[in-house]
Amino acid sequence: MKKMIVRSLLVPAAAITVMCGISAAPAAVLTAVPMQGGMVMPMVSYNAAAGKMHVMMPGEIPQLTPLLVSHPGDSFDPADPWFDALDPSRQGASFSRRYGFVMDTMSDPLPAGTQMWIRKLSGPADLKIYRYSSSAPKAFAPIFGTDGATNALYWSGMMFHPAVAAPPGSNSYTATFEVFLLDTTTGQEVPNSSSDPLIFNWTNVPDGRPVLSLAQKIVVAWPSATTTNWVLESASSVNATSWTMVTNTPVIMDGQPCVVLDASATQQCFRMRYVP
């Protein structure tokens, strides 16, 4: 809180970010991103009779969990590509790799000259999705619309588990996907080949760090000798014909009387008026 002695004061809007750090020493340096639980696998297949993709969704809902909750005290190597997003000393995001895609062994063969693609249809901006690999060269690359990436991804049919991350908290997340066929000759989507929408849900948990709040305030102070027969007034401009007495109870700060005001007005002027 900054102390100011003023006759007129302009209060600008401001954007302030507050971060709460962790000082505990790490117990171990992890070499891979934990899955945060067992696999939750949508089963993908092609139905030749219908000419479209089909996906069977599991009923279990994964939880996005920050490292401070799942592995208290542990950290990631700063050289790992996921360090900035997931390490508690950095963004400390909640994360999960439980959702994955797997090809159903009972699937019909894909039509000749086609590929499978997965597309994200919707999802909140703060839900981030990454292509993940713990083997060299390690990967943590944004996919499905994350940080400007395209919202569609070619899939070879091999099982894969993307990493999903979001800010820690008690809120839940939902994203919608679909699987479709692409004609490799024309580069166009095969009409009516897409699956029904896949609804992916995640619960989320806070990481236990205290939540900080910061309020922008204005402190108007005056010399302690000027305490008798003077009142503080405010108006929207210096040349205003009507001034309003400030009714906030003065407090003593650094030996001077002052009032603490919310910085809600875009512009406010103050003056001291003598009252006989």
Side-chain angles (χ1 to χ4, degrees):
M1 187 180 293
K2 186 176 180 181
K3 180 182 72 175
M4 292 177 285
I5 302 175
V6 296
R7 294 181 63 188
S8 63
L9 179 67
L10 177 67
V11 182
I16 304 174
T17 302
V18 178
M19 296 185 66
C20 180
I22 295 297
S23 59
V29 177
L30 305 180
T31 59
V33 176
M35 189 169 285
Q36 303 293 53
M39 294 186 293
V40 181
M41 304 297 295
M43 300 289 290
V44 181
S45 61
Y46 174 67
N47 187 313
K52 63 183 297 182
M53 301 303 302
H54 175 75
V55 180
M56 183 171 62
M57 287 293 296
E60 188 175 357
I61 298 177
Q63 176 177 280
L64 299 172
T65 309
L67 202 68
L68 284 175
V69 174
S70 62
H71 296 70
D74 292 349
S75 66
F76 294 113
D77 188 330
D80 288 334
W82 49 81
F83 172 80
D84 186 64
L86 305 184
D87 194 85
S89 68
R90 304 294 289 177
Q91 298 178 47
S94 295
F95 62 92
S96 172
R97 293 178 44 241
R98 297 185 63 191
Y99 268 131
F101 292 89
V102 65
M103 200 70 187
D104 192 331
T105 57
M106 301 302 292
S107 172
D108 294 329
L110 298 182
T114 62
Q115 294 176 337
M116 283 185 298
W117 282 65
I118 305 171
R119 177 166 50 210
K120 189 179 84 168
L121 301 175
S122 65
D126 59 347
L127 183 73
K128 310 286 188 176
I129 307 176
Y130 302 89
R131 180 177 63 85
Y132 168 75
S133 175
S134 61
S135 58
K138 295 181 177 181
F140 203 71
I143 56 175
F144 293 133
T146 297
D147 297 336
T150 178
N151 69 333
L153 178 73
Y154 162 68
W155 180 41
S156 67
M158 296 291 292
M159 182 175 64
F160 86 106
H161 288 263
V164 179
S170 57
N171 56 315
S172 59
Y173 285 92
T174 297
T176 305
F177 296 80
E178 66 179 356
V179 183
F180 65 95
L181 292 180
L182 188 78
D183 188 313
T184 57
T185 300
T186 65
Q188 300 297 313
E189 180 177 347
V190 176
N192 303 315
S193 66
S194 63
S195 66
D196 292 334
L198 319 177
I199 309 299
F200 287 63
N201 294 296
W202 296 266
T203 58
N204 193 16
V205 293
D207 62 9
R209 285 186 275 195
V211 177
L212 301 182
S213 62
L214 183 63
Q216 188 178 10
K217 301 288 185 179
I218 297 300
V219 177
V220 183
W222 53 89
S224 58
T226 315
T227 56
T228 304
N229 301 110
W230 290 87
V231 295
L232 179 68
E233 296 183 325
S234 69
S236 58
S237 70
V238 175
N239 298 321
T241 58
S242 177
W243 290 72
T244 302
M245 185 174 68
V246 177
T247 58
N248 300 56
T249 302
V251 296
I252 302 300
M253 183 179 296
D254 295 334
Q256 290 183 293
C258 63
V259 294
V260 181
L261 307 171
D262 289 329
S264 56
T266 56
Q267 180 172 301
Q268 194 76 6
C269 300
F270 299 90
R271 74 178 185 183
M272 299 294 286
R273 181 171 65 87
Y274 182 75
V275 179

